[in-house]
Amino acid sequence: GRALADLEKAGSYEGRHADGHHLAAQALVALGNLSDAEAEVDKALRVSPHLGRALLLRAEIRRRLGRAAEALSDWQAVFEKFPYLLNAEERGRVAALLGR
């Protein structure tokens, strides 16, 4: 409700604040609104294409939406470009999914 409205307002000041969109996406996931969360993550990635945390969040959103191929694509990007965002177990799981 109010917290989400405040996040949206904060993110709209510049329209180019990736962290604001990422925070809004996290809030929307917590509320179970995955479609709008994905839209916010996409906005964050348009502003900052190298925001690895946003790729991780989008992978999880897409997994929950049943879009495994798209989720795997995001996990692969994280695995290759931002491996430090994954712990050893997560790296192992993604590597297995990628057949590596």
Side-chain angles (χ1 to χ4, degrees):
R2 176 80 178 135
L4 186 56
D6 289 343
L7 273 175
E8 288 173 358
K9 185 177 178 183
S12 70
Y13 284 125
E14 292 286 321
R16 299 179 47 81
H17 192 271
D19 287 333
H21 292 299
H22 184 253
L23 283 172
Q26 287 176 311
L28 288 162
V29 167
L31 293 170
N33 188 340
L34 300 178
S35 295
D36 286 346
E38 184 177 23
E40 286 296 324
V41 169
D42 287 342
K43 289 176 188 176
L45 289 168
R46 277 195 297 278
V47 174
S48 183
H50 303 292
L51 188 61
R53 295 170 304 160
L55 282 172
L56 271 177
L57 183 58
R58 189 171 70 181
E60 178 59 20
I61 291 167
R62 288 174 166 180
R63 182 193 67 78
R64 289 186 190 185
L65 289 170
R67 294 172 20 219
E70 291 173 281
L72 184 57
S73 177
D74 285 340
W75 278 318
Q76 181 175 0
V78 172
F79 183 82
E80 293 172 354
K81 298 175 186 175
F82 313 101
Y84 53 87
L85 293 175
L86 302 170
N87 64 35
E89 179 184 337
E90 291 166 331
R91 279 193 304 275
R93 277 187 303 202
V94 173
L97 287 170
L98 296 172
R100 295 183 185 179

